[in-house]
Amino acid sequence: MTDKSSPTAAVLLIGDELLSGRTRDINLQQIATYLAPLGIPVRESRTVPDIEDEIVEAVNQLRAKYTYVFTTGGIGPTHDDITADAIAKAFGVGISEHPEVTAMLAERYAAMGTEYTPARRRMARIPHGASVVANPVSGAPGFQTGNVFTLAGVPQVARAMLEDIGPRLETGAVVHKITIRGTGLREGDIAEPLGQLAKEMPQVSFGSYPWFRTVGDNGVHLVASTLHEELIEEVAAKLSAIIEQTGVRPERLEDANT
């Protein structure tokens, strides 16, 4: 594995739909964009089909070569979502429903009035010894097995999962994070100025995550991560200004630094 004093990463994109051209990948771009300000360059990317042996082979090759590996795709509820089983096989461990995850998903589906079917229970299956990666968008988590992070294929979900992963990474420096949210805010209202801010501040990784619980309980979280602590207050002010320009009051949440 690469010396952690100069960490590197690889991205493994999983799915027949990517190779057939039916789905356009943007996960490589957003993972690389997130990692760059943390000093972790992506050195290689591969795309493999939904074939267990090919996933296992790629995972084992990449995890031996790079500090971190990020996989995307194949952890949903359908029959061809085999990534979790492939990761377990790559690490030589078993796999089963994680009790805390299945309880969380059962509660979430109950709140939505949706049946927690056997297919949906598949999303609670985690390789033994893996740690859960939170999914603030749709609930069903990813997971970390050794130096391999397994993310969803849906770009918005994959990007949101990175916020739980960032503090776990060995960057050689502290990762500083700030979250500003706006209740009632809509992503479309801040997409352009947020994109411009990202261009102006390449040392900072920006994310935008909507939530919708009820008609009166919805909005957007804007999250910024950087190795440069001196930029945090400037970033907080700029994100707050972006929200205020829409007529929504910004709310700063507790900083999450590691």
Side-chain angles (χ1 to χ4, degrees):
M1 188 185 300
T2 305
D3 184 353
K4 286 188 177 181
S5 64
S6 55
T8 56
V11 177
L12 180 62
L13 309 168
I14 300 168
D16 294 340
E17 69 280 2
L18 297 173
L19 291 166
S20 69
R22 293 194 304 272
T23 297
R24 178 184 177 188
D25 172 69
I26 64 170
N27 282 322
L28 170 59
Q29 178 185 24
Q30 62 181 8
I31 291 171
T33 301
Y34 180 84
L35 294 176
L38 306 184
I40 307 175
V42 172
R43 295 299 191 199
E44 184 175 347
S45 173
R46 298 188 192 182
T47 305
V48 296
D50 295 311
I51 298 175
E52 186 177 87
D53 287 346
E54 294 197 28
I55 298 171
V56 170
E57 180 181 10
V59 166
N60 283 334
Q61 289 179 353
L62 294 173
R63 71 186 180 97
K65 187 176 180 181
Y66 299 100
T67 314
Y68 301 111
V69 178
F70 295 80
T71 79
T72 71
I75 58 172
T78 61
H79 70 282
D80 59 346
D81 288 312
I82 60 172
T83 299
D85 295 274
I87 297 294
K89 185 174 181 180
F91 280 85
V93 299
I95 184 171
S96 60
E97 287 186 9
H98 190 292
E100 294 178 7
V101 173
T102 196
M104 178 273 292
L105 289 176
E107 181 179 358
R108 186 180 184 93
Y109 282 115
M112 295 188 296
T114 302
E115 183 182 359
Y116 188 34
T117 62
R120 295 189 176 105
R121 293 182 72 101
R122 284 177 52 82
M123 294 186 290
R125 298 170 69 252
I126 305 293
H128 296 169
S131 58
V132 172
V133 172
N135 171 4
V137 176
S138 59
F143 50 87
Q144 176 187 356
T145 316
N147 64 330
V148 179
F149 296 93
T150 301
L151 285 61
V154 178
Q156 185 181 34
V157 177
R159 180 59 182 82
M161 287 179 173
L162 291 174
E163 299 298 345
D164 190 34
I165 292 171
R168 310 183 192 193
L169 304 177
E170 295 286 345
T171 64
V174 175
V175 179
H176 303 275
K177 186 164 75 173
I178 179 67
T179 300
I180 310 291
R181 74 176 182 182
T183 300
L185 186 66
R186 297 178 299 181
E187 271 195 307
D189 294 335
I190 50 87
E192 184 174 346
L194 185 62
Q196 182 59 40
L197 180 59
K199 292 180 181 179
E200 295 172 0
M201 305 187 75
Q203 317 95 313
V204 182
S205 176
F206 293 94
S208 172
Y209 310 110
W211 86 88
F212 188 93
R213 299 186 184 92
T214 65
V215 173
D217 184 5
N218 59 84
V220 179
H221 289 88
L222 300 183
V223 181
S225 303
T226 181
L227 296 180
H228 304 275
E229 184 177 13
E230 70 277 8
L231 294 179
I232 284 293
E233 293 307 318
E234 178 184 357
V235 170
K238 289 181 180 292
L239 290 178
S240 295
I242 287 174
I243 294 175
E244 287 175 341
Q245 289 172 2
T246 69
V248 173
R249 181 178 66 84
E251 179 185 359
R252 178 169 176 166
L253 303 186
E254 183 179 354
D255 297 356
N257 298 331
T258 58

